[in-house]
Amino acid sequence: MAKIKTIGVLTSGGDAPGMNAAIRAVTRAGIYNGFNIKGIYRGYDGLINGEVKPFTTENVSGIIMQGGTILKTARSMEFMTPEGKQKAYDTMVKEGIDALVVIGGNGSLTGARDFAAEFDVCCIGLPGTIDNDLYGTDSTIGYDTTLNTILECVDRIRDTAQSHERIFFIEVMGRDAGFLAQNSAIASGAEAAIIPEEVTDVDQLGRFMERGIRKSKKSCIVIVSESPKCGAMYYADRVKKEFPDFDVRVSILGHLQRGGRPTARDRILASRTGVGAVEAIMQGQRNVMVGVRNNEVVYVPFADAIRTDKPLDMKLIKVLDELSI
């Protein structure tokens, strides 16, 4: 196996607070250990189109506190094609890039896995996603910051909910994972969370209405995981039809959740996993995601990180139930 001399780093998919801290960590740990570092702009699209620039420590100076990603990001449809992957590989050969560090979520790491399998290149993944849905790491880069952003928004909305005696359905991100909804509901003192992990034969809204608000509360907050079929608007419409006496409002937080300065927890996670990525390359590891589990840096095969559903602790549902009476 040829010795790795140059590491390319890119960010892909949805941006997440802490990505810049991860870029900084990969760059500086790489340089410290004798590697050349090249930044790849606009994710896999940039790899396809040759948007590559040599990185020094100065390129990543003063970025640890910034949200978003200085490398920009994109969701690349072309990279999903054989032709796109071939162009990306050709760029790696042209630029002398021997290993690739991909900072992103499920789709980004799936792309890295497929690319590594087809062209036999070393790919290392960092868990950069606000959804916290990658298996094998206790938290993902951006999750803690997003949770705190949601918390701040809900605290403000509660003032209005109480003043007007309203039910607020607040929709948060998370796709098929309810970590943001469940934990932000507990942290904000919300009355309920409607999440995808709950068994489908339970009417979460009906159970909540019977248990809480119909008995004692005229205002409340319900956190809802985003869903194309039954998001916050769906549940608000149901309440209007089934319980017309209540004043109902909807707030969809949307991309507001993605921005902002990363928390200390996210900066530390990004820094540890970024250094861990360089260490993985030095150890000869390939096609793994770097995570932190039980406060230890771990290396998780792409197949496990991507395919295995990350379980939500169902005890959290009981915690919220007991505290929202």
Side-chain angles (χ1 to χ4, degrees):
M1 186 181 297
K3 184 180 178 182
I4 291 173
K5 298 178 181 178
T6 301
I7 300 172
V9 57
L10 62 82
T11 51
S12 173
D15 62 299
M19 280 183 164
N20 281 327
I23 295 166
R24 173 182 180 269
V26 171
T27 300
R28 293 197 166 177
I31 292 170
Y32 179 88
N33 287 287
F35 294 98
N36 299 314
I37 304 296
K38 293 195 174 183
I40 301 161
Y41 288 82
R42 294 173 185 84
Y44 291 123
D45 273 350
L47 188 59
I48 290 169
N49 298 319
E51 297 184 63
V52 180
K53 177 182 176 181
F55 261 34
T56 66
T57 57
E58 287 78 12
N59 288 102
V60 295
S61 178
I63 68 170
I64 194 170
M65 76 293 290
Q66 296 176 14
T69 162
I70 63 164
L71 287 175
K72 313 303 180 186
T73 185
R75 302 183 190 275
S76 177
M77 299 303 294
E78 188 177 0
F79 188 73
M80 297 172 69
T81 68
E83 296 79 11
K85 290 187 181 71
Q86 182 65 57
K87 289 180 182 178
Y89 179 71
D90 291 345
T91 297
M92 285 187 66
V93 172
K94 178 184 176 183
E95 295 287 342
I97 297 172
D98 309 303
L100 197 62
V101 176
V102 176
I103 307 167
N106 197 293
S108 302
L109 299 193
T110 299
R113 178 200 63 187
D114 296 345
F115 185 57
E118 189 167 340
F119 291 96
D120 192 29
V121 296
C122 173
C123 289
I124 306 294
L126 297 190
T129 169
I130 67 171
D131 299 336
N132 197 35
D133 60 348
L134 288 169
Y135 179 83
T137 184
D138 290 340
S139 185
T140 57
I141 298 166
Y143 171 67
D144 185 69
T145 305
T146 301
L147 198 57
N148 280 279
T149 300
I150 293 170
L151 191 62
E152 183 177 346
C153 293
V154 175
D155 286 349
R156 293 170 185 260
I157 290 171
R158 185 177 285 283
D159 293 341
T160 292
Q162 291 177 336
S163 297
H164 293 272
E165 297 187 326
R166 288 171 175 162
I167 302 176
F168 262 91
F169 288 92
I170 302 175
E171 185 173 296
V172 301
M173 288 181 171
R175 292 199 309 178
D176 299 323
F179 297 98
L180 284 173
Q182 190 67 39
N183 284 306
S184 65
I186 292 172
S188 65
E191 280 68 29
I194 298 178
I195 60 173
E197 284 87 353
E198 285 258 43
V199 289
T200 54
D201 60 347
V202 173
D203 181 359
Q204 297 179 67
L205 178 66
R207 185 181 64 181
F208 154 67
M209 294 297 289
E210 289 292 338
R211 185 190 74 232
I213 190 162
R214 293 186 69 188
K215 297 177 181 177
S216 61
K217 297 182 179 181
K218 293 183 179 178
S219 71
C220 71
I221 301 290
V222 181
I223 312 292
V224 183
S225 282
E226 64 182 353
S227 168
K229 293 183 179 180
C230 47
M233 292 298 297
Y234 166 81
Y235 288 106
D237 288 341
R238 271 194 58 189
V239 171
K240 289 176 184 177
K241 293 174 184 176
E242 298 173 28
F243 309 97
D245 293 340
F246 291 106
D247 191 7
V248 181
R249 294 291 187 276
V250 171
S251 183
I252 298 174
L253 299 186
H255 287 83
L256 178 69
Q257 298 161 82
R258 287 198 182 276
R261 293 190 166 208
T263 59
R265 186 181 294 272
D266 273 332
R267 297 184 200 192
I268 293 166
L269 175 62
S271 298
R272 292 185 71 187
T273 54
V275 170
V278 175
E279 290 178 350
I281 291 169
M282 293 171 65
Q283 293 168 10
Q285 297 205 52
R286 298 162 67 91
N287 312 329
V288 294
M289 180 194 78
V290 186
V292 173
R293 195 163 57 220
N294 297 324
N295 206 32
E296 294 288 336
V297 173
V298 294
Y299 300 106
V300 186
F302 279 153
D304 292 341
I306 296 162
R307 292 178 183 171
T308 309
D309 287 336
K310 184 175 183 177
L312 180 81
D313 186 351
M314 302 308 276
K315 293 177 183 176
L316 294 175
I317 295 173
K318 186 173 184 290
V319 170
L320 182 59
D321 280 350
E322 292 188 8
L323 298 182
S324 62
I325 58 173

